[in-house]
Amino acid sequence: MPTTQNEGMNASKIVKVENLSKTFGALKAVDNVSFEVYEGEIFGFLGPNGAGKTTTINMLTTLIKPSSGKAEVCGYDVFKHANEVRRSVGVVPQEYTADEDMTGINNILLCADLYGMPRSDSKIHAEELLELVELQDAAKRKVSTYSGGMRRRLELACGLINYPKLLFLDEPTLGLDVQTRTAVWRYIKTLKEDYHMTLFMTTHYLEEADSVCDRIAIIDHGHIIKTGSPEELKESVGGDVIVVSVKESEPDISSDIAQIKLVTSVRKNDSTYRIKAELGEEASPQITDLIRSKGLHVTKVSLTKPTLDEAYLEFTGRSLREEEVDKLQMFRQRVTMRRARS
Amino acid sequence: MDTDKINSANVETPSADSAVEQKQEASPMVKERKFRTPPKPNTSPLHGLWALTNRDLRKWYLNPIQLLISLIQPIIWLALFGKALNFGTFIAGSGATPAQQNAILLSFFGTTSYFSFLACGMLAFIVLFTSAFSGMSVVFDRRFGFLNKALTTPVARGSIVMGKILQSVGRSLVQAAIVLVIAVVLGMDASHFTVLGIVGAFFAIFLMGIGLSALFTMLALRSADWQTQTAIINLINLPLLFASNALFPTKIMPTWLQDIANVNPVSYANDATRQLLIGATNMPNLLVDFSVLIAFAVILSTIGIVLSWRFLSK
Ligand SMILES: Nc1ncnc2c1ncn2[C@@H]1O[C@H](COP(=O)(O)OP(=O)(O)OP(=O)(O)O)[C@@H](O)[C@H]1O
Ligand SMILES: [Mg+2]
């Protein structure tokens, strides 16, 4: 519902990125990207391993300096006014950062102190956040006894302690089981709908990005390939797929089907036609009518809507690129995954 | 519905029964879920410094095993060199009269009790080894992500370094106090102790601790690798200890080593504690000792803070 509203003039831009680049030696981890995030939306950053998602977040959260380009977060330049940016945003990083030797509540209070929050407030706020992420019962336990899901929720609570207007989440559901993942998505929706926060997140889980994000940017090799709402991205793959099976394998009526206005492409395989069409629901009766009018018999019809997966694979290609992930990152990812499973 | 929510942003009285409803599985749309008005944060450049210091200190005092282990080494040194291989005994065995012996001891050690001389050296020893691990703790914070978390908050980068330095100095002072008590129990000459002397001696230790832990912390600022850090510690620690007057007086050293020992800040701290605690004579002026130590502490911690601006983030 907010998607259309965001395109209106009244939604202000909380993140403005222009030609932002980051090079590590010879590697262009982020290459000249430009995008915007509107206030109040959930903005998803999708891309394969090593695409440059974390690097972008690190620049926007002032952890690393951009090599070139400009980025404004909450109205402040990330380089010139780093401290103002840090004060206005919350960060839930990809790896676990909580101190394992401390209790959950003490971790949150420590974060509050680092933000300069007065203890009189942070004590109450920490309790509220623990309740939000359903960790009240484990608050006084050492983090080393937490499961992966509990740790992730604790990170989320830490990222909220400074009342941020904008929250960065780097793969908030990495390595979590279905229940915890669902819970995390629920918190994210709550933050948007009840607390009117803006969320900037990266993820690998496409179906969920589809259902949660208002807008998505697909990034690969440091370039943004495509930005738009999940629907727009799906549409750009070329519409719905209709598969029609016909009893008779001859004659070939592909060219007749292609004449139908809504149909964009037809492929015949034995006695099945694989048809791409813009409005599948309207196109399929027209197709079956046409087939019958030629004296043939339809035995089966199926209609599939494109998934974000298809869009994603179409834009980023199908090969894996593990070789590009650097060693420290692999180590951290392994640690994160291992702890997630513990 | 949106304006409604904005208007009620500060209103804060969930009724009891709606709170009960809220418990019953996720209706995240329940209306009183709202942050209170954010308080005004403390934006002084020192905010968070105590929190960071206390984080490390708490871990340390809640884990007494660590404290006990760190005390073993100085106690072994005291027992081995102070009792078993005592220099004083060598001199006593030389056939000189007791008066001559005392004169020799005084000229070497500034005191007639080598054990007391060594006990003061052990105070420096424990500070040196505690400081060395301040760098290690930076490495672990980087490795386990906590450093990145801290860097995304508005806490001053210099406070991250100062926190490491202060926690290390805090431990050093406590451990040095324990070593001093043990040394006295084992026979250290306490006849010269005065309140002012003890305070002064610990001030000297404090200054040395600041300088040393600043040194080790800044060497760890860029590193995520604890093996390298261990190597650095070993590379610096033992020379700093042996090329100082902690174990032996510089007079018995070859001149090249004397030259090093004379610029080694550890020697100045030992000079100061020996004069203040056991009334050692034959030593440079206390004013010189404290000037050197203050300069050492101020210069190294300044360099540490300046480097933290440049090197903590990438
Ligand atoms: N500190 C660094 N030094 C050198 N190269 C780096 C550094 N950080 C990231 N890279 C490289 O930059 C590229 C982008 O990395 P980034 O972490 O942004 O990817 P990502 O999209 O977050 O991937 P993932 O989904 O695996 O988290 C990778 O090729 C990575 O190896
Ligand atoms: Mg990443």
Side-chain angles (χ1 to χ4, degrees):
Chain A
M1 66 170 174
T3 321
T4 44
Q5 161 202 324
N6 285 339
E7 263 118 48
M9 290 273 84
N10 51 351
S12 54
K13 296 165 184 167
I14 196 161
V15 177
K16 275 191 262 179
V17 174
E18 272 169 46
N19 305 324
L20 194 67
S21 298
K22 179 71 188 181
T23 41
F24 294 111
L27 176 79
K28 283 212 147 186
V30 173
D31 190 3
N32 225 7
V33 303
S34 303
F35 62 91
E36 272 128 25
V37 178
Y38 298 101
E39 216 167 322
E41 74 175 347
I42 303 185
F43 184 82
F45 227 43
L46 271 183
N49 286 135
K53 304 181 296 290
T54 302
T55 308
T56 308
I57 287 202
N58 284 350
M59 285 191 279
L60 295 182
T61 56
T62 76
L63 262 183
I64 58 178
K65 291 189 194 94
S67 305
S68 65
K70 241 188 82 178
E72 240 178 51
V73 174
C74 296
Y76 301 107
D77 186 286
V78 291
F79 183 60
K80 286 186 220 130
H81 300 285
N83 259 344
E84 281 78 4
V85 172
R86 290 175 189 136
R87 244 173 232 126
S88 1
V89 306
V91 188
V92 180
Q94 183 167 350
E95 70 261 31
Y96 297 134
T97 58
D99 189 326
E100 300 201 10
D101 299 326
M102 286 166 45
T103 61
I105 179 103
N106 281 344
N107 263 294
I108 301 184
L109 291 175
L110 175 60
C111 283
D113 291 343
L114 297 185
Y115 280 104
M117 293 291 151
R119 265 292 160 104
S120 54
D121 176 80
S122 54
K123 274 194 180 141
I124 306 167
H125 195 36
E127 295 290 341
E128 288 170 351
L129 290 173
L130 282 166
E131 201 184 308
L132 174 78
V133 299
E134 299 165 89
L135 274 180
Q136 314 89 302
D137 300 336
K140 297 223 159 69
R141 261 164 54 195
K142 271 195 183 179
V143 174
S144 52
T145 68
Y146 280 24
S147 73
M150 293 163 81
R151 277 169 200 248
R152 188 57 81 190
R153 276 141 61 203
L154 178 66
E155 295 288 339
L156 189 57
C158 286
L160 291 168
I161 191 69
N162 62 326
Y163 303 83
K165 282 193 272 184
L166 167 65
L167 182 68
F168 288 93
L169 297 144
D170 199 353
E171 301 194 22
T173 54
L174 182 74
L176 302 183
D177 66 15
V178 187
Q179 287 88 338
T180 319
R181 229 190 294 161
T182 320
V184 168
W185 291 113
R186 201 175 68 229
Y187 307 142
I188 288 175
K189 281 190 163 159
T190 308
L191 291 175
K192 179 197 155 169
E193 281 160 15
D194 292 6
Y195 298 100
H196 304 289
M197 281 174 60
T198 311
L199 293 109
F200 182 114
M201 49 171 301
T202 74
T203 179
H204 287 153
Y205 295 104
L206 296 160
E207 336 80 72
E208 289 166 325
D210 188 4
S211 68
V212 168
C213 295
D214 299 310
R215 286 192 320 128
I216 291 174
I218 295 182
I219 181 172
D220 194 16
H221 293 300
H223 297 280
I224 290 193
I225 301 171
K226 193 91 194 162
T227 315
S229 69
E231 288 70 32
E232 282 164 358
L233 293 183
K234 279 184 275 187
E235 266 160 37
S236 60
V237 194
D240 307 347
V241 177
I242 304 160
V243 180
V244 186
S245 301
V246 180
K247 205 156 109 200
E248 301 83 359
S249 65
E250 291 295 326
D252 183 349
I253 54 160
S254 303
S255 51
D256 298 282
I257 296 174
Q259 298 291 312
I260 296 174
K261 245 228 286 351
L262 294 169
V263 171
T264 51
S265 77
V266 185
R267 232 176 43 220
K268 182 172 177 286
N269 194 354
D270 285 334
S271 55
T272 13
Y273 293 88
R274 195 180 150 83
I275 301 152
K276 278 198 177 177
E278 261 159 43
L279 290 165
E281 291 87 347
E282 284 180 30
S284 46
Q286 293 179 26
I287 293 167
T288 49
D289 286 351
L290 177 83
I291 294 173
R292 280 201 214 101
S293 74
K294 298 276 170 194
L296 308 174
H297 298 87
V298 178
T299 53
K300 234 193 304 180
V301 179
S302 74
L303 168 64
T304 37
K305 294 267 163 194
T307 61
L308 201 51
D309 281 276
E310 278 164 45
Y312 178 76
L313 290 174
E314 175 134 343
F315 292 125
T316 62
R318 275 156 214 270
S319 55
L320 290 173
R321 283 158 250 173
E322 275 155 302
E323 69 279 1
E324 289 177 23
V325 181
D326 82 313
K327 260 161 107 197
L328 180 63
Q329 203 188 351
M330 281 302 275
F331 167 80
R332 285 211 179 140
Q333 187 143 338
R334 273 207 311 279
V335 171
T336 305
M337 295 292 280
R338 206 182 312 131
R339 292 201 207 143
R341 289 200 209 96
S342 69
Chain B
M1 146 204 167
D2 269 0
T3 45
D4 191 325
K5 268 181 180 157
I6 291 159
N7 288 340
S8 61
N10 299 339
V11 186
E12 256 296 82
T13 36
S15 63
D17 49 350
S18 74
V20 172
E21 270 168 34
Q22 195 177 333
K23 271 261 140 70
Q24 311 237 323
E25 192 39 30
S27 151
M29 309 291 246
V30 179
K31 229 177 116 238
E32 45 281 0
R33 290 208 142 176
K34 195 148 315 236
F35 291 149
R36 285 160 301 105
T37 319
K40 209 170 157 31
N42 174 0
T43 54
S44 97
L46 287 181
H47 86 265
L49 175 60
W50 170 241
L52 286 168
T53 311
N54 193 33
R55 161 178 174 253
D56 284 318
L57 283 180
R58 259 179 76 89
K59 283 195 207 177
W60 168 71
Y61 66 70
L62 292 179
N63 183 4
I65 307 263
Q66 215 187 331
L67 175 68
L68 289 178
I69 290 176
S70 68
L71 292 174
I72 291 176
Q73 231 186 344
I75 292 170
I76 289 178
W77 281 85
L78 276 176
L80 194 66
F81 280 88
K83 295 283 181 199
L85 293 170
N86 195 322
F87 278 97
T89 343
F90 292 148
I91 293 163
S94 66
T97 65
Q100 280 172 324
Q101 283 175 26
N102 278 350
I104 296 171
L105 284 168
L106 266 175
S107 82
F108 272 136
F109 304 116
T111 166
T112 51
S113 157
Y114 175 70
F115 184 80
S116 305
F117 175 92
L118 187 70
C120 291
M122 281 306 112
L123 301 183
F125 174 96
I126 194 147
V127 175
L128 183 57
F129 277 76
T130 308
S131 305
F133 283 90
S134 56
M136 205 55 140
S137 117
V138 178
V139 172
F140 280 117
D141 280 356
R142 188 184 281 291
R143 189 99 195 191
F144 290 104
F146 179 81
L147 189 60
N148 272 355
K149 158 130 286 167
L151 289 173
T152 60
T153 70
V155 75
R157 268 78 284 242
S159 293
I160 296 176
V161 167
M162 274 321 283
K164 287 294 170 206
I165 296 173
L166 291 181
Q167 61 92 15
S168 157
V169 172
R171 292 177 191 207
S172 293
L173 291 177
V174 173
Q175 289 175 339
I178 298 174
V179 170
L180 184 64
V181 171
I182 293 172
V184 170
V185 170
L186 291 180
M188 181 184 179
D189 171 18
S191 60
H192 297 272
F193 281 14
T194 61
V195 172
L196 198 64
I198 292 176
V199 170
F202 277 89
F203 183 54
I205 287 172
F206 168 80
L207 293 171
M208 179 179 71
I210 296 238
L212 287 174
S213 41
L215 173 69
F216 284 104
T217 306
M218 74 179 84
L219 288 172
L221 284 181
R222 282 315 282 257
S223 169
D225 167 5
W226 60 267
Q227 285 102 334
T228 315
Q229 202 54 34
T230 324
I232 290 177
I233 291 176
N234 285 333
L235 191 70
I236 298 180
N237 246 4
L238 293 180
L240 270 181
L241 181 70
F242 283 101
S244 82
N245 58 9
L247 309 174
F248 323 105
T250 46
K251 283 190 188 112
I252 66 167
M253 293 174 179
T255 40
W256 63 269
L257 193 55
Q258 275 188 32
D259 292 341
I260 300 176
N262 285 338
V263 295
N264 185 343
V266 176
S267 300
Y268 291 89
N270 286 328
D271 278 343
T273 52
R274 283 176 184 144
Q275 291 177 69
L276 290 163
L277 291 176
I278 54 176
T281 51
N282 261 342
M283 302 237 161
N285 195 317
L286 267 180
L287 201 63
V288 176
D289 293 334
F290 276 102
S291 307
V292 171
L293 288 170
I294 288 174
F296 177 62
V298 170
I299 291 172
L300 275 122
S301 46
T302 309
I303 297 176
I305 290 171
V306 170
L307 290 182
S308 75
W309 296 333
R310 253 187 80 76
F311 287 126
L312 264 184
S313 37
K314 285 163 233 167

